[in-house]
Amino acid sequence: MATKKFLYLNRRPPHGSIYALESLEVVLIGAAFEQEVTLAFIDDGVYQLLQNQDTSAIGTKNFAPTYRALGDYDVNRIFVERESLEMRGLDKDDLMPLTWEDEDDDWAEKDSIHVVTSAELAEIIDQQDVILSF
Amino acid sequence: MPILHIVNKSPFERNSLDSCLRLALNGSAVLLIEDGVYAASRKSTTAARVGEAMQNLPVYALQPDLQARGIAPDTVIDGIQLVDYDGFVKLTTEYEKTQSWL
């Protein structure tokens, strides 16, 4: 099977709709097919990665910790748009630390999250074969 | 007639909050719930609009929805009053009507 570049484009906040959870589940399922997977978080989608989310008081599944599993599925190309963060008064330190272990570099732990400008993200989007929008 | 205005949409995704703040009269109040609580963040670019409205209206935010979204109480705009579900119910009894800005 030919490898294709898949981009999952996340634009929704995490708890007001089912989009964020559905996207995460599709990414984890899709990761099993060994395609080249990239995640992008823009607009309110950046809220999905905020630290310290705790849904115990609203009675819904707290799926935020699941993002930490992405590295184990070799999903380590995660791009967050700088402009979206800035509009919301956020920076990278407000986001969950997501990492992966590079087997080609003595299993060194590396950051999965890359904060990029709109212009850089536009290029990344342009390079994809398939874009799935959530 | 004092109204409790309830906003449950992100201020970045919809214009519900702006419409609410434009049309809410003095004597009414605003309650932020669900994705509406993102407007309670002090660091967000929406904070100035909320701060301006708070000169005339009390603004409340639902604490369980803040907690779910990882917004710590100490990052909320000064003066926004946090309520739990009991406080939500109490507010609905204190105002004559509720208006949900869907």
Side-chain angles (χ1 to χ4, degrees), chain A residues 15 24 28 34 39 41-42 47 50 65 73 75-77 79 100 111-112 128 131:
Chain A
H15 305 294
L24 183 57
L28 290 170
E34 305 206 341
L39 270 58
F41 293 86
I42 69 171
Y47 286 135
L50 272 192
Y73 289 86
V75 177
N76 50 34
R77 292 166 47 83
F79 296 97
W100 63 291
D111 269 351
S112 299
Q128 304 301 316
I131 300 174

Side-chain angles (χ1 to χ4, degrees), chain A residues 11-17 44 47-48 50-60 62 86-91 94, chain B residues 8-14 34-35 38-39 41-46 62-72 85:
Chain A
R11 297 185 51 245
R12 308 276 188 133
H15 305 294
S17 71
D44 279 352
Y47 286 135
Q48 294 180 30
L50 272 192
Q51 300 219 48
N52 302 319
Q53 296 180 57
D54 171 9
T55 59
S56 57
I58 64 170
T60 61
N62 193 16
E86 286 175 353
M87 190 177 287
R88 291 160 182 79
L90 303 172
D91 57 40
D94 294 307
Chain B
N8 76 335
K9 296 293 189 293
S10 160
F12 298 103
E13 201 172 3
R14 304 275 187 93
E34 301 169 9
D35 286 341
Y38 288 119
S41 168
R42 193 195 317 130
K43 296 183 294 179
S44 167
T45 51
T46 53
L62 193 60
Q63 167 61 18
D65 284 329
L66 288 166
Q67 185 183 334
R69 287 159 183 78
I71 305 169
Y85 288 114

Side-chain angles (χ1 to χ4, degrees), chain A:
Chain A
M1 189 166 66
T3 302
K4 285 190 173 181
K5 294 183 174 185
F6 279 78
L7 173 70
Y8 296 86
L9 188 58
N10 300 286
R11 297 185 51 245
R12 308 276 188 133
H15 305 294
S17 71
I18 199 69
Y19 283 89
L21 174 57
E22 291 287 312
S23 174
L24 183 57
E25 293 197 336
V26 172
V27 168
L28 290 170
I29 293 165
F33 293 89
E34 305 206 341
Q35 303 294 306
E36 187 178 322
V37 173
T38 301
L39 270 58
F41 293 86
I42 69 171
D43 300 330
D44 279 352
V46 302
Y47 286 135
Q48 294 180 30
L49 301 178
L50 272 192
Q51 300 219 48
N52 302 319
Q53 296 180 57
D54 171 9
T55 59
S56 57
I58 64 170
T60 61
K61 181 182 167 69
N62 193 16
F63 58 92
T66 310
Y67 290 95
R68 296 175 196 271
L70 289 170
D72 297 333
Y73 289 86
D74 292 328
V75 177
N76 50 34
R77 292 166 47 83
I78 301 177
F79 296 97
V80 180
E81 190 191 29
R82 182 181 307 280
E83 286 80 352
S84 295
L85 286 175
E86 286 175 353
M87 190 177 287
R88 291 160 182 79
L90 303 172
D91 57 40
K92 195 180 176 188
D93 292 341
D94 294 307
L95 307 180
M96 291 182 270
L98 301 183
T99 57
W100 63 291
E101 292 177 343
D102 187 352
E103 61 177 293
D104 297 327
D105 188 10
D106 197 24
W107 303 99
E109 195 172 79
K110 299 185 175 177
D111 269 351
S112 299
I113 294 182
H114 308 278
V115 177
V116 294
T117 64
S118 301
E120 290 168 326
L121 187 59
E123 293 298 323
I124 291 162
I125 292 171
D126 186 60
Q127 292 159 9
Q128 304 301 316
D129 297 311
V130 180
I131 300 174
L132 297 166
S133 202
F134 290 89

Side-chain angles (χ1 to χ4, degrees), chain B residues 4-5 10 20-21 67:
Chain B
L4 178 67
H5 296 275
S10 160
C20 167
L21 297 181
Q67 185 183 334

